[in-house]
Amino acid sequence: MTSNPSKAASYSQFACVGTGFSGICLGAQLRRWYGITDVRFFEKLGNLGGTWWANQYPGAACDIPAALYSLSFELNSEWSSLMPPWEEIWDYLKAVADKYDLPSKITFNSTVEHCQWIEEKGRWRLTIRRNNIDNTQEDDIFYHECQFLFSAAGFFNEPRDLDIPGLDSFKGPVAHSSRWRHDIDLHNKNVVVIGNGCTGTQIVPAIIPQVKHVTHLIRSRHYFFDRHHDSKVRHLMRHLPGGLLLERFLVFISAENNLRGFYMTKLSAWYRRGQRAESLNYIKATAPEKYHSLLIPDFEVNCKRRIFDTGYLSSLHSPKLTLTSQLPEKIVPNGIFLKSGETIPADVLILANGFKVFRYHSTIHVVGRNGETLNQHFERFGGPAAYNCTVMNNFPNFFMIVGPNSLQGHTSVVIAAENSVNYALRVLKPILVEGKKGSIVEIKKDAEEQDIAKLQADLKKTIYFSGCKAWYLHDKGNGEKYNGTTYPYSQGWFWWRCLFPRWPDWEFRVSVFVFGFKVGVKVGMLTKRAMSK
């Protein structure tokens, strides 16, 4: 779908795609820092929260301590546990959004399909589909324009296709973890759960009390760790003046310490040996011995995301559960037919097989200057890439929150999101506050290329390129692997980079019409370039 310039469009100074942590942080910080309320959010779901509204599966919970899985300017003393359930996280997001009057600025059930940079206006034009949620009428297309466009769409929004044939033949209900169906009755049913990452291992212990039997079909192994926490310490921090800030700082330092295990050095290898021993001891002490061979990894710690156990390993003792790694051949009407010739009976299938993480922004067609699309831009680098994980040349006034290479295996993505938001607003300060740096800002091409080249070179010194098979990596087609997902440095370093923008890397300009010609004025450089209309 392309933009129709003849159609009337609404306008706001800022527009944001998505209303999860990133979008809500943006709305709050715009108001806190600059008193700006002229922002419009577009959310494809029927409520705010992003991941924490989409993922309502049984057992859904945070897998990072909540002290870090929250915004630094809105600390919460009411978390019920170290890693609280999704309902509490959503309540927290709703409370923050209400405090800054954000719900009134959100257009729900609206999918942004196309974003086009309009050079002569110095604006972005969005083509948006209002979703037909009750199937009573055709979807409605409308348009919106903005000076500054933010993407807070995130990584985990497009479920991965199941690579087992025959799904359409299954006669019972099927639910993906991120599209949970609350109408499914699990009581006294034979259930098969496919996938055993963080999500699958949260679902299984949560549904065992309800089901007749659950078969957990797995392909990979993971490092499980105990969720160490002291409720007395948490209670003290909650009531001690400044305790919440102190708790957040201590948890942050503890998480950053784990970064030591992500590099290919002798010291990191020694640290990983300690992590492996800790995990294996926990698995052997908690899970049934008959499943040890299916659970204990044969790869390095941190190759894949670690799992902090929510009761999964102890649930494997239940007589109502079977864990198997037998290969499926196809799905049949009454279950899953294995290559061994057996059939696993199933009344319900639950898919916890993850997301199309590498297809970043694949559902939104973004077109920048000179007609370059976001996918074309990524292809030049071999995969998703951005300067400081946030901006790209040829895409003026466009910022990605939790953009390429923003994720980390040792700490909270919410911290990265807040740092990205703060970075963007610092870059925009000369326009928003000083009013003397034009109306358009864009990262320079050479600065972007150098930044991405260094980041990718440093990524190859990490554990991810030691032979890992993980969703972090993408095959470029020439035998090489590309990582457009993770960040090779500490979150402390990312905070520092976001605190002090490198101003020589940026270009500020205005774009106006003079006697029918478009004139680009580079502010402060006294140079002009006239191009035909």
Side-chain angles (χ1 to χ4, degrees):
M1 175 176 291
T2 58
S3 176
N4 187 340
S6 66
K7 294 289 186 179
S10 52
Y11 174 80
S12 60
Q13 185 180 22
F14 286 82
C16 180
V17 182
T19 60
F21 264 101
S22 299
I24 289 172
C25 179
L26 171 65
Q29 292 293 63
L30 278 172
R31 186 166 181 174
R32 292 180 70 245
W33 285 26
Y34 302 132
I36 292 175
T37 58
D38 187 14
V39 57
R40 174 55 54 180
F41 298 88
F42 297 98
E43 172 57 58
K44 66 180 181 180
L45 302 176
N47 214 328
L48 60 80
T51 289
W52 295 106
W53 182 252
N55 289 269
Q56 300 184 16
Y57 59 82
C62 185
D63 63 351
I64 290 290
L68 288 187
Y69 210 84
S70 50
L71 301 170
S72 67
F73 54 89
E74 292 293 343
L75 300 181
N76 181 25
S77 64
E78 302 303 319
W79 300 118
S80 65
S81 60
L82 182 72
M83 300 177 186
W86 76 265
E87 296 93 338
E88 286 188 39
I89 298 171
W90 186 84
D91 286 343
Y92 167 82
L93 286 169
K94 180 65 164 62
V96 175
D98 286 342
K99 178 176 178 179
Y100 295 97
D101 191 30
L102 301 183
S104 65
K105 306 178 189 307
I106 303 173
T107 303
F108 292 109
N109 296 311
S110 297
T111 301
V112 176
E113 296 186 341
H114 186 90
C115 301
Q116 177 91 42
W117 173 251
I118 310 298
E119 182 72 16
E120 59 267 23
K121 286 187 175 182
R123 290 183 178 183
W124 283 94
R125 184 177 175 89
L126 284 58
T127 303
I128 307 155
R129 183 181 298 276
R130 186 174 286 109
N131 304 330
N132 177 14
I133 58 176
D134 56 7
N135 297 315
T136 59
Q137 58 185 9
E138 293 185 3
D139 293 351
D140 177 33
I141 301 296
F142 63 101
Y143 303 91
H144 185 82
E145 294 185 356
C146 62
Q147 182 181 4
F148 304 109
L149 175 61
F150 281 72
S151 170
F155 278 85
F156 307 109
N157 51 50
E158 189 177 358
R160 180 185 298 163
D161 297 327
L162 187 66
D163 58 358
I164 306 173
L167 183 61
D168 291 340
S169 71
F170 185 67
K171 66 180 181 180
V174 180
H176 190 276
S177 59
S178 67
R179 304 290 188 270
W180 188 254
R181 291 176 50 183
H182 292 282
D183 63 320
I184 294 180
D185 181 11
L186 299 178
H187 289 89
N188 202 33
K189 299 289 175 56
N190 289 314
V191 178
V192 173
V193 177
I194 300 175
N196 66 321
C198 294
T199 298
T201 57
Q202 288 180 341
I203 291 174
V204 168
I207 66 174
I208 282 181
Q210 307 172 51
V211 304
K212 178 180 180 180
H213 189 272
V214 58
T215 300
H216 196 188
L217 191 61
I218 69 173
R219 295 182 180 178
S220 57
R221 306 169 187 181
H222 296 274
Y223 284 98
F224 288 85
F225 291 86
D226 191 11
R227 297 199 302 172
H228 298 294
H229 67 281
D230 190 327
S231 58
K232 293 181 180 179
V233 172
R234 288 181 53 248
H235 178 79
L236 176 63
M237 292 297 183
R238 185 179 301 179
H239 295 90
L240 185 72
L244 293 178
L245 276 174
L246 177 60
E247 179 188 26
R248 182 180 175 91
F249 176 73
L250 293 176
V251 174
F252 174 78
I253 293 299
S254 176
E256 288 290 271
N257 181 58
N258 286 320
L259 183 62
R260 291 190 295 163
F262 286 80
Y263 298 107
M264 297 305 295
T265 64
K266 290 182 179 180
L267 182 61
S268 289
W270 172 81
Y271 185 77
R272 285 194 297 274
R273 285 195 292 271
Q275 287 182 303
R276 177 176 170 83
E278 178 186 350
S279 177
L280 266 54
N281 288 338
Y282 178 70
I283 293 172
K284 291 177 180 179
T286 312
E289 185 176 357
K290 64 180 179 179
Y291 291 140
H292 286 179
S293 62
L294 298 180
L295 295 168
I296 294 176
D298 57 358
F299 50 83
E300 289 266 23
V301 181
N302 300 321
C303 259
K304 298 182 179 181
R305 188 169 178 84
R306 296 168 296 158
I307 297 178
F308 291 94
D309 190 22
T310 58
Y312 174 73
L313 295 183
S314 59
S315 76
L316 297 177
H317 290 278
S318 172
K320 297 199 296 179
L321 185 146
T322 298
L323 181 68
T324 180
S325 62
Q326 292 193 61
L327 297 176
E329 183 170 305
K330 62 181 177 179
I331 296 173
V332 294
N334 62 339
I336 297 182
F337 183 73
L338 303 175
K339 292 189 175 181
S340 64
E342 301 175 59
T343 297
I344 302 174
D347 302 307
V348 179
L349 294 182
I350 298 176
L351 310 183
N353 59 319
F355 300 86
K356 298 176 181 178
V357 177
F358 193 79
R359 293 181 59 187
Y360 189 77
H361 254 275
S362 61
T363 60
I364 307 175
H365 190 59
V366 182
V367 183
R369 281 195 309 111
N370 304 319
E372 183 178 33
T373 68
L374 198 61
N375 287 336
Q376 288 171 340
H377 192 83
F378 289 162
E379 287 172 4
R380 290 203 292 109
F381 295 97
Y387 176 94
N388 202 29
C389 312
T390 308
V391 292
M392 298 161 300
N393 177 257
N394 268 353
F395 294 82
N397 290 4
F398 177 53
F399 299 86
M400 294 185 292
I401 309 305
V402 188
N405 296 107
S406 289
L407 302 185
Q408 293 184 292
H410 71 284
T411 190
S412 168
V413 69
V414 176
I415 296 180
E418 186 175 338
N419 282 331
S420 293
V421 168
N422 294 347
Y423 177 66
L425 297 188
R426 288 187 180 103
V427 168
L428 292 175
K429 184 178 179 181
I431 295 175
L432 299 175
V433 177
E434 298 172 12
K436 55 185 179 183
K437 284 291 185 180
S439 58
I440 299 172
V441 62
E442 182 179 352
I443 196 67
K444 295 177 182 177
K445 182 179 179 181
D446 58 344
E448 179 193 21
E449 291 175 345
Q450 291 169 17
D451 187 74
I452 292 170
K454 184 178 188 312
L455 183 142
Q456 288 297 324
D458 289 340
L459 269 171
K460 291 182 178 178
K461 303 172 186 176
T462 65
I463 190 69
Y464 305 120
F465 285 87
S466 67
C468 294
K469 295 180 180 180
W471 56 263
Y472 302 129
L473 299 175
H474 167 74
D475 191 345
K476 294 172 65 174
N478 57 359
E480 291 185 33
K481 297 292 184 180
Y482 182 86
N483 186 334
T485 309
T486 59
Y487 191 66
Y489 317 115
S490 72
Q491 193 56 222
W493 173 247
F494 188 56
W495 167 81
W496 182 259
R497 280 208 62 185
C498 292
L499 188 62
F500 299 106
R502 298 172 181 169
W503 296 114
D505 292 351
W506 290 89
E507 176 182 298
F508 291 83
R509 67 180 189 274
V510 295
S511 183
V512 296
F513 270 86
V514 179
F515 301 117
F517 290 88
K518 183 174 59 176
V519 179
V521 182
K522 297 182 180 180
V523 178
M525 298 179 66
L526 297 179
T527 62
K528 300 183 179 181
R529 51 189 176 92
M531 298 171 287
S532 61
K533 183 177 178 181

